[in-house]
Amino acid sequence: MNTKCPREWRHERTVAQTADDAGCDEPSVLRERGQREVFCGLTGIIWMHRKIQDAFFLIIGSRTCAHLMQSAAGVMIFAEPRFATAIIEERDLAGMADANEELDRVVTRLLDRRPDIKLLFLVGSCPSEVIKLDLSRASQRLSAQLSPKVRVLNYSGSGIETTFTQGEDACLAALVPSLPTEAADAAPSLMVVGALADVVEDQFDRMFKAMGIDNVRFLPSGSADNLPPVGPNTHYLLAQPFLADTAWHLEDRGAKRIAAPFPLGEEGTTLWLRAAAETFGVSDEVFDTVTAPGRERAKRAMAHQSERLAGKRIFFFPDSQLEIPLARFLSREMGMVPVEVGTPYMHRDHLAEELEMLPSGVRLSEGQDVDKQLDRCRADAPDLVVCGLGLANPLEAEGIATKWSIELLFTPIQGYEQAGDLAELFARPLVRRTRLEV
Ligand code: SF4
């Protein structure tokens, strides 16, 4: 059992990994700690709120946070959203007792208006007024008041502590301690961890069941009433590469990780499914029978796009933490040439299989010093740049085709049926630029 907090754990691992780097066969990594251009962890709410149907995310923040959520969510909200911002501004310490009362009032009003809410996340942000509020204590107080009808949890989406996809990690990590305990004599179960589009989740669920793996659960689940149990018989399979703290909390509850690359492209999906199949003793014959049709469809769908992408040079700015699995997919299955693969954080254990499959000589960078990275990008003159919204417009103005990394979180991209769409996401900006040039 882990006895240290996740932050300590991560720090120690980073130090140990740095020491291990010297002399090993892994590619060297350029570590940068300068100005960065990455969204904060609040952004994750935009996809997470659609996943857990009876949850609500109440951001305790400023007008800036409310604006970010509005502009990032933009046209993607069709129904009444399951998130809102409680704006807490310009308070001194003497006003903090009022802030707690006000928070209670906001929560009561919200729950009166939305009786369907079963799980409420209080999400912290950066303003100093919010940092002074003890959201952990507030969530315990509210949970005690509202139990058992509503469970209240908290996590931070602050830009000081989190980047972009770390918001999902913080949210799921907050959820893990409240998962039910799996019976000690329960049959081994498979837990797929990381928010996936419903259509993708259904496809994976069907394939695992067809292989004979019946005890399959997903975290997050679609409902707060249906959270997956966890215990020493749980084998978890990460569907996303940015869930370091969630993994730590799962292991703290006895779950074991199934090491695998991530399910992007035909190859990644096959290796991801195979890792689970091997853990559960599925025969090669059954595995091949279940996966062969999907593999064929994925290959056919990707073939068209690989004609457009083969030989094109691609540069990744650090943003979503999907960069390394994407670079692996694009180089091995689409024939693209990654020149730099930047990622905000690199979890070497979770990415070990991915790193082994990257082409040799690719430049890897972790963290960011945005001006230096922009200089490297201009010098490389890639055909396509994957980056956040803040960098895309200036780069486009310089004549460089870009792909917004945020789209890779909003679009279903995992699994066989989505492999063609994933490839097309990268082909589209190149086609658009060719048309503009004509
Ligand atoms: Fe709010 Fe901080 Fe994110 Fe800005 S960076 S939107 S202040 S949480």
mmCIF file of all heavy atoms in Angstrom, residues 270-299:
data_model
loop_
_atom_site.group_PDB
_atom_site.id
_atom_site.type_symbol
_atom_site.label_atom_id
_atom_site.label_comp_id
_atom_site.label_asym_id
_atom_site.label_seq_id
_atom_site.Cartn_x
_atom_site.Cartn_y
_atom_site.Cartn_z
ATOM 1 N N THR A 270 -5.289 -2.792 -30.563
ATOM 2 C CA THR A 270 -5.053 -4.236 -30.468
ATOM 3 C C THR A 270 -4.156 -4.563 -29.273
ATOM 4 O O THR A 270 -4.441 -5.478 -28.498
ATOM 5 C CB THR A 270 -4.417 -4.762 -31.775
ATOM 6 O OG1 THR A 270 -5.311 -4.452 -32.848
ATOM 7 C CG2 THR A 270 -4.178 -6.265 -31.735
ATOM 8 N N LEU A 271 -3.084 -3.787 -29.097
ATOM 9 C CA LEU A 271 -2.164 -4.072 -27.984
ATOM 10 C C LEU A 271 -2.836 -3.812 -26.638
ATOM 11 O O LEU A 271 -2.603 -4.514 -25.663
ATOM 12 C CB LEU A 271 -0.893 -3.221 -28.130
ATOM 13 C CG LEU A 271 -0.011 -3.577 -29.328
ATOM 14 C CD1 LEU A 271 1.120 -2.561 -29.497
ATOM 15 C CD2 LEU A 271 0.575 -4.980 -29.162
ATOM 16 N N TRP A 272 -3.694 -2.797 -26.602
ATOM 17 C CA TRP A 272 -4.419 -2.450 -25.356
ATOM 18 C C TRP A 272 -5.396 -3.582 -25.002
ATOM 19 O O TRP A 272 -5.441 -4.057 -23.871
ATOM 20 C CB TRP A 272 -5.151 -1.135 -25.615
ATOM 21 C CG TRP A 272 -5.846 -0.486 -24.473
ATOM 22 C CD1 TRP A 272 -5.271 0.261 -23.494
ATOM 23 C CD2 TRP A 272 -7.262 -0.473 -24.221
ATOM 24 N NE1 TRP A 272 -6.255 0.741 -22.644
ATOM 25 C CE2 TRP A 272 -7.470 0.301 -23.062
ATOM 26 C CE3 TRP A 272 -8.365 -1.036 -24.863
ATOM 27 C CZ2 TRP A 272 -8.742 0.531 -22.530
ATOM 28 C CZ3 TRP A 272 -9.628 -0.814 -24.334
ATOM 29 C CH2 TRP A 272 -9.813 -0.043 -23.191
ATOM 30 N N LEU A 273 -6.155 -4.021 -26.002
ATOM 31 C CA LEU A 273 -7.101 -5.120 -25.766
ATOM 32 C C LEU A 273 -6.348 -6.405 -25.411
ATOM 33 O O LEU A 273 -6.762 -7.163 -24.541
ATOM 34 C CB LEU A 273 -7.959 -5.363 -27.015
ATOM 35 C CG LEU A 273 -8.987 -4.270 -27.372
ATOM 36 C CD1 LEU A 273 -9.535 -4.508 -28.778
ATOM 37 C CD2 LEU A 273 -10.138 -4.250 -26.361
ATOM 38 N N ARG A 274 -5.218 -6.624 -26.088
ATOM 39 C CA ARG A 274 -4.472 -7.874 -25.860
ATOM 40 C C ARG A 274 -3.921 -7.930 -24.428
ATOM 41 O O ARG A 274 -3.913 -8.990 -23.796
ATOM 42 C CB ARG A 274 -3.326 -8.013 -26.871
ATOM 43 C CG ARG A 274 -2.677 -9.389 -26.824
ATOM 44 C CD ARG A 274 -1.498 -9.489 -27.769
ATOM 45 N NE ARG A 274 -1.890 -9.534 -29.179
ATOM 46 C CZ ARG A 274 -2.405 -10.595 -29.794
ATOM 47 N NH1 ARG A 274 -2.620 -11.701 -29.119
ATOM 48 N NH2 ARG A 274 -2.712 -10.554 -31.071
ATOM 49 N N ALA A 275 -3.475 -6.779 -23.915
ATOM 50 C CA ALA A 275 -2.941 -6.755 -22.543
ATOM 51 C C ALA A 275 -4.019 -7.207 -21.558
ATOM 52 O O ALA A 275 -3.745 -7.982 -20.636
ATOM 53 C CB ALA A 275 -2.444 -5.347 -22.205
ATOM 54 N N ALA A 276 -5.253 -6.743 -21.775
ATOM 55 C CA ALA A 276 -6.350 -7.166 -20.887
ATOM 56 C C ALA A 276 -6.638 -8.647 -21.111
ATOM 57 O O ALA A 276 -6.825 -9.415 -20.158
ATOM 58 C CB ALA A 276 -7.594 -6.334 -21.164
ATOM 59 N N ALA A 277 -6.665 -9.066 -22.391
ATOM 60 C CA ALA A 277 -6.978 -10.463 -22.715
ATOM 61 C C ALA A 277 -5.969 -11.403 -22.055
ATOM 62 O O ALA A 277 -6.335 -12.439 -21.500
ATOM 63 C CB ALA A 277 -6.975 -10.653 -24.237
ATOM 64 N N GLU A 278 -4.692 -11.030 -22.095
ATOM 65 C CA GLU A 278 -3.664 -11.893 -21.481
ATOM 66 C C GLU A 278 -3.855 -11.971 -19.973
ATOM 67 O O GLU A 278 -3.731 -13.030 -19.374
ATOM 68 C CB GLU A 278 -2.265 -11.367 -21.825
ATOM 69 C CG GLU A 278 -1.881 -11.758 -23.247
ATOM 70 C CD GLU A 278 -0.584 -11.108 -23.738
ATOM 71 O OE1 GLU A 278 0.035 -10.347 -22.967
ATOM 72 O OE2 GLU A 278 -0.224 -11.356 -24.904
ATOM 73 N N THR A 279 -4.203 -10.834 -19.355
ATOM 74 C CA THR A 279 -4.415 -10.831 -17.894
ATOM 75 C C THR A 279 -5.561 -11.765 -17.521
ATOM 76 O O THR A 279 -5.526 -12.413 -16.475
ATOM 77 C CB THR A 279 -4.728 -9.384 -17.422
ATOM 78 O OG1 THR A 279 -3.642 -8.556 -17.804
ATOM 79 C CG2 THR A 279 -4.928 -9.308 -15.921
ATOM 80 N N PHE A 280 -6.567 -11.847 -18.378
ATOM 81 C CA PHE A 280 -7.750 -12.656 -18.050
ATOM 82 C C PHE A 280 -7.726 -14.030 -18.732
ATOM 83 O O PHE A 280 -8.734 -14.733 -18.771
ATOM 84 C CB PHE A 280 -9.035 -11.882 -18.400
ATOM 85 C CG PHE A 280 -9.333 -10.805 -17.398
ATOM 86 C CD1 PHE A 280 -8.689 -9.581 -17.453
ATOM 87 C CD2 PHE A 280 -10.218 -11.027 -16.355
ATOM 88 C CE1 PHE A 280 -8.923 -8.599 -16.497
ATOM 89 C CE2 PHE A 280 -10.460 -10.054 -15.394
ATOM 90 C CZ PHE A 280 -9.811 -8.837 -15.467
ATOM 91 N N GLY A 281 -6.578 -14.414 -19.290
ATOM 92 C CA GLY A 281 -6.403 -15.763 -19.825
ATOM 93 C C GLY A 281 -7.229 -16.056 -21.073
ATOM 94 O O GLY A 281 -7.608 -17.220 -21.308
ATOM 95 N N VAL A 282 -7.490 -15.038 -21.889
ATOM 96 C CA VAL A 282 -8.236 -15.258 -23.138
ATOM 97 C C VAL A 282 -7.289 -15.914 -24.153
ATOM 98 O O VAL A 282 -6.135 -15.477 -24.299
ATOM 99 C CB VAL A 282 -8.769 -13.905 -23.686
ATOM 100 C CG1 VAL A 282 -9.468 -14.088 -25.022
ATOM 101 C CG2 VAL A 282 -9.687 -13.242 -22.669
ATOM 102 N N SER A 283 -7.747 -16.930 -24.853
ATOM 103 C CA SER A 283 -6.860 -17.616 -25.811
ATOM 104 C C SER A 283 -6.616 -16.737 -27.040
ATOM 105 O O SER A 283 -7.427 -15.867 -27.368
ATOM 106 C CB SER A 283 -7.492 -18.936 -26.263
ATOM 107 O OG SER A 283 -8.606 -18.656 -27.097
ATOM 108 N N ASP A 284 -5.494 -16.992 -27.721
ATOM 109 C CA ASP A 284 -5.171 -16.234 -28.946
ATOM 110 C C ASP A 284 -6.275 -16.387 -29.980
ATOM 111 O O ASP A 284 -6.609 -15.453 -30.706
ATOM 112 C CB ASP A 284 -3.854 -16.750 -29.548
ATOM 113 C CG ASP A 284 -2.665 -16.303 -28.715
ATOM 114 O OD1 ASP A 284 -2.865 -15.471 -27.795
ATOM 115 O OD2 ASP A 284 -1.554 -16.803 -28.976
ATOM 116 N N GLU A 285 -6.820 -17.588 -30.051
ATOM 117 C CA GLU A 285 -7.851 -17.870 -31.060
ATOM 118 C C GLU A 285 -9.092 -16.992 -30.829
ATOM 119 O O GLU A 285 -9.604 -16.358 -31.755
ATOM 120 C CB GLU A 285 -8.211 -19.350 -30.956
ATOM 121 C CG GLU A 285 -8.896 -19.885 -32.168
ATOM 122 C CD GLU A 285 -9.362 -21.318 -31.921
ATOM 123 O OE1 GLU A 285 -8.921 -21.941 -30.941
ATOM 124 O OE2 GLU A 285 -10.188 -21.782 -32.722
ATOM 125 N N VAL A 286 -9.546 -16.968 -29.568
ATOM 126 C CA VAL A 286 -10.727 -16.140 -29.254
ATOM 127 C C VAL A 286 -10.399 -14.671 -29.498
ATOM 128 O O VAL A 286 -11.183 -13.928 -30.096
ATOM 129 C CB VAL A 286 -11.178 -16.376 -27.791
ATOM 130 C CG1 VAL A 286 -12.226 -15.351 -27.365
ATOM 131 C CG2 VAL A 286 -11.710 -17.786 -27.626
ATOM 132 N N PHE A 287 -9.211 -14.257 -29.058
ATOM 133 C CA PHE A 287 -8.828 -12.855 -29.223
ATOM 134 C C PHE A 287 -8.861 -12.475 -30.709
ATOM 135 O O PHE A 287 -9.424 -11.452 -31.096
ATOM 136 C CB PHE A 287 -7.428 -12.617 -28.636
ATOM 137 C CG PHE A 287 -6.992 -11.180 -28.745
ATOM 138 C CD1 PHE A 287 -7.410 -10.238 -27.817
ATOM 139 C CD2 PHE A 287 -6.187 -10.758 -29.803
ATOM 140 C CE1 PHE A 287 -7.028 -8.898 -27.922
ATOM 141 C CE2 PHE A 287 -5.805 -9.430 -29.926
ATOM 142 C CZ PHE A 287 -6.223 -8.498 -28.976
ATOM 143 N N ASP A 288 -8.263 -13.320 -31.546
ATOM 144 C CA ASP A 288 -8.210 -13.007 -32.982
ATOM 145 C C ASP A 288 -9.609 -12.977 -33.592
ATOM 146 O O ASP A 288 -9.923 -12.118 -34.415
ATOM 147 C CB ASP A 288 -7.336 -14.030 -33.719
ATOM 148 C CG ASP A 288 -5.864 -13.844 -33.368
ATOM 149 O OD1 ASP A 288 -5.516 -12.753 -32.873
ATOM 150 O OD2 ASP A 288 -5.076 -14.794 -33.569
ATOM 151 N N THR A 289 -10.456 -13.921 -33.190
ATOM 152 C CA THR A 289 -11.816 -13.958 -33.752
ATOM 153 C C THR A 289 -12.582 -12.684 -33.390
ATOM 154 O O THR A 289 -13.266 -12.099 -34.227
ATOM 155 C CB THR A 289 -12.585 -15.190 -33.192
ATOM 156 O OG1 THR A 289 -11.788 -16.341 -33.415
ATOM 157 C CG2 THR A 289 -13.939 -15.348 -33.846
ATOM 158 N N VAL A 290 -12.426 -12.236 -32.137
ATOM 159 C CA VAL A 290 -13.187 -11.060 -31.686
ATOM 160 C C VAL A 290 -12.659 -9.777 -32.334
ATOM 161 O O VAL A 290 -13.427 -8.893 -32.707
ATOM 162 C CB VAL A 290 -13.135 -10.949 -30.139
ATOM 163 C CG1 VAL A 290 -13.734 -9.632 -29.656
ATOM 164 C CG2 VAL A 290 -13.861 -12.125 -29.497
ATOM 165 N N THR A 291 -11.339 -9.692 -32.472
ATOM 166 C CA THR A 291 -10.781 -8.405 -32.912
ATOM 167 C C THR A 291 -10.602 -8.292 -34.437
ATOM 168 O O THR A 291 -10.513 -7.172 -34.952
ATOM 169 C CB THR A 291 -9.405 -8.140 -32.250
ATOM 170 O OG1 THR A 291 -8.534 -9.243 -32.540
ATOM 171 C CG2 THR A 291 -9.541 -7.970 -30.744
ATOM 172 N N ALA A 292 -10.551 -9.422 -35.154
ATOM 173 C CA ALA A 292 -10.219 -9.373 -36.594
ATOM 174 C C ALA A 292 -11.121 -8.427 -37.400
ATOM 175 O O ALA A 292 -10.606 -7.609 -38.176
ATOM 176 C CB ALA A 292 -10.243 -10.779 -37.183
ATOM 177 N N PRO A 293 -12.463 -8.474 -37.238
ATOM 178 C CA PRO A 293 -13.277 -7.577 -38.062
ATOM 179 C C PRO A 293 -12.977 -6.097 -37.799
ATOM 180 O O PRO A 293 -12.865 -5.303 -38.742
ATOM 181 C CB PRO A 293 -14.724 -7.922 -37.642
ATOM 182 C CG PRO A 293 -14.647 -9.270 -36.982
ATOM 183 C CD PRO A 293 -13.290 -9.356 -36.385
ATOM 184 N N GLY A 294 -12.826 -5.720 -36.530
ATOM 185 C CA GLY A 294 -12.523 -4.324 -36.185
ATOM 186 C C GLY A 294 -11.172 -3.898 -36.733
ATOM 187 O O GLY A 294 -11.009 -2.785 -37.244
ATOM 188 N N ARG A 295 -10.204 -4.815 -36.653
ATOM 189 C CA ARG A 295 -8.867 -4.486 -37.158
ATOM 190 C C ARG A 295 -8.915 -4.199 -38.656
ATOM 191 O O ARG A 295 -8.290 -3.245 -39.143
ATOM 192 C CB ARG A 295 -7.906 -5.648 -36.887
ATOM 193 C CG ARG A 295 -7.678 -5.882 -35.420
ATOM 194 C CD ARG A 295 -6.889 -7.127 -35.153
ATOM 195 N NE ARG A 295 -5.471 -6.942 -35.437
ATOM 196 C CZ ARG A 295 -4.512 -7.733 -34.962
ATOM 197 N NH1 ARG A 295 -4.815 -8.765 -34.210
ATOM 198 N NH2 ARG A 295 -3.264 -7.506 -35.246
ATOM 199 N N GLU A 296 -9.651 -5.031 -39.365
ATOM 200 C CA GLU A 296 -9.767 -4.842 -40.815
ATOM 201 C C GLU A 296 -10.423 -3.509 -41.152
ATOM 202 O O GLU A 296 -9.964 -2.762 -42.018
ATOM 203 C CB GLU A 296 -10.590 -5.984 -41.433
ATOM 204 C CG GLU A 296 -9.783 -7.203 -41.781
ATOM 205 C CD GLU A 296 -8.456 -6.847 -42.452
ATOM 206 O OE1 GLU A 296 -8.486 -6.161 -43.498
ATOM 207 O OE2 GLU A 296 -7.392 -7.207 -41.920
ATOM 208 N N ARG A 297 -11.540 -3.222 -40.441
ATOM 209 C CA ARG A 297 -12.253 -1.951 -40.698
ATOM 210 C C ARG A 297 -11.331 -0.767 -40.394
ATOM 211 O O ARG A 297 -11.306 0.206 -41.134
ATOM 212 C CB ARG A 297 -13.519 -1.864 -39.837
ATOM 213 C CG ARG A 297 -14.686 -2.688 -40.368
ATOM 214 C CD ARG A 297 -15.995 -2.277 -39.708
ATOM 215 N NE ARG A 297 -15.999 -2.535 -38.281
ATOM 216 C CZ ARG A 297 -16.308 -3.721 -37.730
ATOM 217 N NH1 ARG A 297 -16.636 -4.738 -38.497
ATOM 218 N NH2 ARG A 297 -16.299 -3.876 -36.424
ATOM 219 N N ALA A 298 -10.580 -0.849 -39.292
ATOM 220 C CA ALA A 298 -9.693 0.259 -38.923
ATOM 221 C C ALA A 298 -8.633 0.465 -40.011
ATOM 222 O O ALA A 298 -8.374 1.590 -40.443
ATOM 223 C CB ALA A 298 -9.032 -0.034 -37.575
ATOM 224 N N LYS A 299 -8.053 -0.634 -40.494
ATOM 225 C CA LYS A 299 -6.990 -0.516 -41.510
ATOM 226 C C LYS A 299 -7.533 0.122 -42.788
ATOM 227 O O LYS A 299 -6.889 0.982 -43.394
ATOM 228 C CB LYS A 299 -6.403 -1.892 -41.818
ATOM 229 C CG LYS A 299 -5.410 -2.340 -40.770
ATOM 230 C CD LYS A 299 -4.850 -3.702 -41.152
ATOM 231 C CE LYS A 299 -3.999 -4.254 -40.029
ATOM 232 N NZ LYS A 299 -3.889 -5.691 -40.024
#
